[in-house]
Amino acid sequence: MPESSAAAGSGRTIPGTPAPVTPFPAVGTSVPGSVGTSLQILRSLDSGPRGLVEAHAEERLARFGENVLPAWRPVPWPRRFVRSLRDPFTSVLLCLGLVSAVVSAWGTACVILALVAVSCLLRSTEEHRADRSTAALRELVATTATVVRRTSADAPSREREVPVADLVPGDVIRLGPGDLVPADVRVLRAGGLTVHQSALTGESAPVAKHPLDAPDPALAGAGPFAQPQLCFQGSSVTSGSGTAVITATGGATRFAAAHDGRARQRGASAFDRSVQGISWTLIRFMLLTPPLVLMANAALRGRGLETLPFAVAVAVGLTPEMLPVIVTTALARGAARLARTSGVIVKRLPALHDLGAVDVLCLDKTGTLTEDRPVVEAAVDGSDLPDPGVLRWAALSALWTLQLAELPAPDALDEAVLDAAEHPEDSAYEGVAALPFDPVRRVATAVLRRPDRLGVHTLVTKGAVEAVLERCALDGEERERLLALAARKAESGLRLLAVARADRPARHGGYTPADERGLTFVGLVALRDVPAPSAADALDVLARRGVTVKVLTGDHPGTAARVCEDLGLRTDPAGGCGEVVTAELVDTLSDAELARVADRATVFARCTPEHKARIVSALRAAGHTIGFLGDGVNDLPALHAADVGICPRNAVDVAREAADVVLAEKDLTAIDRAVLAGRHSSGNIATYLRITLSSNLGNVIAMLTAGLMLPFLPMLPAQVLVQNLCFDAAQLAFAFDRPGASALRRPAVLRSRDFLRFITGFGLLNAAADLATFGVLALALHNAAGTDGEAAFHAGWFTENLLTQALVMVLLRTGRSAAERRAGGPLRAAAGGLAVVGVLLPLTPLGPLLGMSALPLLYYLLLGSVLGLYAVGLTAARRRYERRR
């Protein structure tokens, strides 16, 4: 059959498929793949159960385009450059430049606009480079799908993993637990398949999916999401497995229609909120400065609009215009270094700062505190006596459920059972059917037969003790006795699987969960968790770094408590961490009460996905910055609720998509390295803000004071802006600095009160040095008069400003030992270059062009004394500040 297709999202489909629909069609409206039998759908897509031929798939990919949502495509560099103008500081600078142009201050306008261009250029370039690096790194964890294809029309089909972007309509794919549904599909075969559709419908409960070839009158008038034979992109497989054919990809999917680019945008992170708060506070001051300068000069000096360029320059002097560039560069460098040295991928740059600010890390114990594979401790019957038969029946159930339900791999408990059993595949039993485990039933059932027992099928059910006992034919007293036995074992830290069986007459029809009734209890399989070798040391390191670890698990309280105590995480009240909190207790607490309990407790047991998300939200509401480490479908709500969602590279696809940070492996040591990288970048940003704003505040105070005292402007607008440009260039070194050891010992949080106290105190000290320089200039230039005196004054203050700013850059790097402060580095080199420019620029031919002249030797001698006293004052103030911290 000939093909005819178009680019993804164009609205055209392969001939034979129903026409695409608009978002949110009326109830009952047909959607691609919903009408007709499975065979008819396959024929309309020019496909078949054996999948597409590779050549046909490549041709369709070229015509349809990649299976990528339009809103997720990379942003072009020119658009990033224009978007950089939306930054608050950049927008204000642009406005100030336009105001300067209006008043014909062309030199001022050119310098300001140059600053705007440099800021936008650097920011957009760094963001574009970071996005390219992240995209390249993301290929290491790129979402893939299992597709069935053939090399030629006559060749046998084979399964292989391909990137989701390479899928095309007509591809036959396999789905398993934890998989993201990669496109809109029609289910061809399924075994216990359930999916989460909350991204599309908002419903939290999983929905069962199965083939449907004959119309179901009960579904007449139901929407497309209620159709059991249809799955949509944006859904995730909760349990079971299935085979499906793709009916729509890319922009033609229902997910693309329902979720535009705004659905992908995240709320502001803690770091974004703190930086924006500081930014807008400074912007308000900056917008108030020009009118205040104009009014003061008009009142005291009789000056009019001729002082407007100077007022604009003063406002610019208060602005840390390099803030967007420093933030982007520091975070991008940290993310690139993490990827290069530790294999950690930061998918969202602000998440790196949030990692550095994390003070509570929530995680499940399995695979993190313990090894991924538990080991079988014992198998006992109902009388608590050893019974190898219990383990044998459990292994048969695990083996045939794995094979018949098309599960990609056994879970950890099944794998431990299969490892402990002796060759269950050699048993005389053969599998007939399987009902895989799901979180609602909490059991799995395999239906077996023996060739020498015709007419009899054996159902073997295993799973949670309570769920299995509910399905057994037991009186109340016996059930309570077995529950008490299981409780005693669980309290000792063991994980339990109950096993039951029943013989039933053989039948040809399928089996359903309704058949899991009237079973005979066989026994219990007890397993224990083996602590991960590096967990104890990693927990100790995190504790020393000020990160509190909390365990959120679905296991029995005794099991969780045993592992935590083995690793040194105290769970008793004497340890100061409170008792183990169960989900039942969480359900009885209000949000405020839960916040208090969560702050004190270490272990939360029997947690559902909703419990985990609620606990994380309560901790955030209490003022903590939360990181959550998860790798399963059940961790999705908590990953979204946390400040930073973290998952290992081998997590299920849907968890990798939801996470902000992807680890090379599920290891607390990797998290420690990521936290350090976050604190490294955050420490550089905080140092930049403290030093720059304190220096700028001091300069503005001195400039306003001098403007009111002197009969001429203390510094010409062009001189102010050239000075700022030099300082901006030197400030780039902050992004490449190495923070002091103390900055890595605690969470990196910008506390507004401490921050404002710092910039106010050191800003006043800087203003005092500037005012002392005025006295030095008055003494050194007492014989100068007229324009020569003004030019010399401008040159002297220009030199002093750059020299004091260089001193501040070196001496206010807090948290360093004497050896660290003496060590070289990019910041010291930048400060040295800034000092050289400050001394030599007035002496070059550029000096007279900027309105500056050479200074007498006496000035430099006196300035050296001022700078020496200023350095002593800075050092003493820094030590006092560090002691108070």
Side-chain angles (χ1 to χ4, degrees):
M1 178 181 293
E3 297 180 24
S4 174
S5 59
S10 65
R12 294 187 289 168
T13 58
I14 296 176
T17 59
V21 294
T22 56
F24 305 110
V27 173
T29 302
S30 170
V31 296
S34 63
V35 179
T37 66
S38 298
L39 183 58
Q40 289 171 335
I41 296 300
L42 286 169
R43 286 177 176 173
S44 69
L45 293 167
D46 194 15
S47 184
R50 296 192 299 153
L52 294 175
V53 176
E54 291 284 0
H56 293 169
E58 292 176 3
E59 182 180 351
R60 293 187 187 189
L61 182 62
R63 293 184 179 183
F64 278 78
E66 292 185 338
N67 180 33
V68 178
L69 296 183
W72 298 7
R73 297 184 185 277
V75 179
W77 184 88
R79 187 180 301 174
R80 285 193 181 280
F81 184 88
V82 175
R83 279 170 41 177
S84 299
L85 295 173
R86 296 188 301 183
D87 177 77
F89 280 123
T90 307
S91 299
V92 173
L93 279 175
L94 181 61
C95 292
L96 293 175
L98 295 177
V99 170
S100 299
V102 169
V103 298
S104 300
W106 300 111
T108 302
C110 290
V111 175
I112 291 179
L113 294 176
L115 285 172
V116 171
V118 169
S119 178
C120 290
L121 178 66
L122 289 173
R123 182 178 186 185
S124 55
T125 300
E126 287 297 334
E127 287 186 349
H128 186 66
R129 184 182 303 163
D131 273 5
R132 285 193 307 170
S133 300
T134 304
L137 294 169
R138 197 174 287 141
E139 295 296 326
L140 299 175
V141 292
T143 302
T144 60
T146 303
V147 67
V148 179
R149 285 183 181 172
R150 297 169 288 159
T151 56
S152 65
D154 298 329
S157 59
R158 62 186 181 91
E159 297 180 6
R160 68 185 184 91
E161 294 288 318
V162 301
V164 165
D166 293 346
L167 296 176
V168 296
D171 263 330
V172 175
I173 62 172
R174 309 286 193 202
L175 297 173
D179 288 346
L180 285 172
V181 178
D184 289 356
V185 302
R186 166 75 177 251
V187 177
L188 303 178
R189 295 192 303 275
L193 181 65
T194 62
V195 301
H196 265 300
Q197 299 182 151
S198 59
L200 296 165
T201 66
E203 57 183 333
S204 59
V207 179
K209 298 292 182 179
H210 56 80
L212 184 66
D213 284 339
D216 187 347
L219 298 174
F225 301 114
Q227 301 294 327
Q229 76 277 24
L230 301 179
C231 296
F232 299 93
Q233 185 180 41
S235 306
S236 59
V237 178
T238 306
S239 63
S241 59
T243 301
V245 61
I246 294 177
T247 58
T249 60
T253 62
R254 181 59 64 107
F255 189 82
H259 290 252
D260 59 15
R262 288 171 295 181
R264 292 278 293 173
Q265 295 177 358
R266 299 178 60 102
S269 68
F271 178 64
D272 292 332
R273 292 192 298 270
S274 64
V275 170
Q276 287 176 8
I278 294 169
S279 299
W280 283 110
T281 299
L282 292 171
I283 286 172
R284 292 186 185 99
F285 280 111
M286 189 173 58
L287 293 178
L288 287 173
T289 299
L292 289 177
V293 172
L294 289 174
M295 288 187 294
N297 276 277
L300 298 179
R301 294 292 178 181
R303 299 168 184 159
L305 287 178
E306 67 270 14
T307 60
L308 181 59
F310 174 72
V312 171
V314 172
V316 173
L318 187 62
T319 308
E321 57 270 9
M322 294 300 289
L323 178 61
V325 179
I326 298 296
V327 169
T328 302
T329 304
L331 295 178
R333 288 190 71 250
R337 183 170 56 249
L338 261 182
R340 184 176 62 254
T341 61
S342 304
V344 176
I345 299 172
V346 180
K347 296 167 59 180
R348 182 176 62 88
L349 281 184
L352 185 61
H353 168 269
D354 293 335
L355 266 175
V358 162
D359 61 341
V360 175
L361 176 65
C362 298
L363 46 82
D364 195 347
K365 66 180 183 59
T366 305
T368 308
L369 302 181
T370 63
E371 294 183 348
D372 277 329
R373 297 178 62 177
V375 297
V376 173
E377 180 85 0
V380 299
D381 60 14
S383 301
D384 200 17
L385 298 175
D387 185 352
V390 177
L391 182 60
R392 174 172 167 271
W393 285 115
L396 286 171
S397 176
L399 175 66
W400 289 108
T401 301
L402 174 66
Q403 295 188 11
L404 297 177
E406 299 182 349
L407 299 178
D411 66 18
L413 297 181
D414 282 351
E415 197 167 17
V417 168
L418 290 171
D419 286 345
E422 295 183 0
H423 307 293
E425 66 276 7
D426 295 340
S427 169
Y429 282 91
E430 298 176 353
V432 174
L435 299 174
F437 179 89
D438 71 63
V440 178
R441 292 166 41 245
R442 300 175 65 200
V443 298
T445 297
V447 182
L448 313 176
R449 70 180 175 198
R450 287 188 58 160
D452 58 350
R453 294 187 63 190
L454 300 177
V456 177
H457 283 173
T458 301
L459 277 69
V460 184
T461 299
K462 63 172 176 56
V465 176
E466 298 88 343
V468 171
L469 291 180
E470 286 176 0
R471 291 162 169 79
C472 292
L474 299 170
D475 58 37
E477 183 178 347
E478 180 65 8
R479 182 177 287 108
E480 290 301 321
R481 186 187 69 81
L482 292 173
L483 285 173
L485 171 63
R488 289 196 300 273
K489 289 187 170 296
E491 288 172 359
S492 66
L494 295 174
R495 306 174 69 180
L496 299 174
L497 283 176
V499 184
R501 58 182 290 268
D503 290 335
R504 302 284 169 78
R507 69 184 191 214
H508 295 291
Y511 287 84
T512 69
D515 295 306
E516 299 169 336
R517 293 290 183 270
L519 307 177
T520 300
F521 182 76
V522 175
L524 299 171
V525 177
L527 305 98
R528 60 180 175 86
D529 290 317
V530 179
S534 61
D537 292 339
L539 287 172
D540 184 57
V541 171
L542 287 172
R544 291 201 304 269
R545 299 198 194 285
V547 178
T548 301
V549 174
K550 296 185 183 294
V551 180
L552 281 55
T553 179
D555 285 340
H556 186 280
T559 305
R562 172 70 177 273
V563 171
C564 292
E565 290 179 0
D566 288 345
L567 293 171
L569 283 175
R570 297 292 300 274
T571 58
D572 57 280
C577 299
E579 298 177 349
V580 175
V581 177
T582 62
E584 290 78 7
L585 176 59
V586 171
D587 289 334
T588 65
L589 300 175
S590 66
D591 290 343
E593 292 170 336
L594 178 59
R596 290 193 292 270
V597 171
D599 198 41
R600 185 177 66 252
T602 299
V603 181
F604 298 82
R606 299 292 195 198
C607 290
T608 65
E610 291 71 24
H611 288 123
K612 293 181 180 181
R614 190 174 171 221
I615 293 166
V616 168
S617 298
L619 287 167
R620 287 190 68 187
H624 296 286
T625 303
I626 309 300
F628 183 86
L629 173 63
D631 61 355
V633 176
N634 62 326
D635 295 319
L636 278 180
L639 285 169
H640 285 295
D643 291 284
V644 187
I646 311 169
C647 78
R649 186 182 300 177
N650 60 355
V652 297
D653 294 343
V654 66
R656 287 207 308 262
E657 287 297 321
D660 302 306
V661 178
V662 180
L663 307 177
E665 55 189 13
K666 195 174 181 180
D667 182 9
L668 289 180
T669 303
I671 294 181
D672 176 59
R673 291 194 293 267
V675 167
L676 282 181
R679 294 182 183 181
H680 189 138
S681 298
S682 300
N684 286 343
I685 294 168
T687 300
Y688 161 77
L689 282 170
R690 289 192 180 99
I691 291 177
T692 300
L693 291 178
S694 61
S695 179
N696 287 0
L697 180 62
N699 285 338
V700 167
I701 293 173
M703 199 175 299
L704 291 175
T705 304
L708 298 176
M709 294 172 55
L710 298 175
F712 55 86
L713 293 178
M715 189 174 290
L716 299 178
Q719 296 166 357
V720 174
L721 295 173
V722 169
Q723 170 188 281
N724 287 342
L725 188 60
C726 294
F727 196 27
D728 291 339
Q731 285 171 344
L732 282 175
F734 282 110
F736 302 87
D737 193 25
R738 187 174 186 85
S742 65
L744 305 178
R745 285 199 292 266
R746 55 182 176 267
V749 181
L750 286 177
R751 296 180 176 86
S752 57
R753 183 175 300 179
D754 177 69
F755 182 79
L756 291 175
R757 186 185 301 117
F758 184 98
I759 64 175
T760 302
F762 285 94
L764 291 174
L765 186 60
N766 182 274
D770 286 345
L771 294 176
T773 302
F774 296 162
V776 168
L777 286 168
L779 182 61
L781 304 176
H782 67 282
N783 292 325
T787 57
D788 291 339
E790 291 182 20
F793 184 94
H794 293 156
W797 197 17
F798 181 89
T799 298
E800 185 267 347
N801 268 335
L802 293 192
L803 290 176
T804 54
Q805 288 174 346
L807 271 178
V808 166
M809 289 177 64
V810 173
L811 295 180
L812 287 194
R813 295 162 67 206
T814 57
R816 284 166 174 75
S817 64
E820 287 175 317
R821 283 191 290 271
R822 287 194 299 268
L827 201 60
R828 292 179 65 88
L834 189 64
V836 170
V837 171
V839 172
L840 297 182
L841 182 62
L843 306 178
T844 66
L846 187 59
L849 294 177
L850 292 173
M852 294 185 288
S853 63
L855 291 158
L857 180 61
L858 177 62
Y859 166 75
Y860 293 104
L861 296 176
L862 294 175
L863 179 62
S865 301
V866 171
L867 293 177
L869 293 173
Y870 181 50
V872 172
L874 278 178
T875 303
R878 188 200 69 242
R879 289 175 178 171
R880 183 170 181 269
Y881 170 78
E882 290 176 350
R883 283 197 303 269
R884 294 184 63 179
R885 293 184 72 189

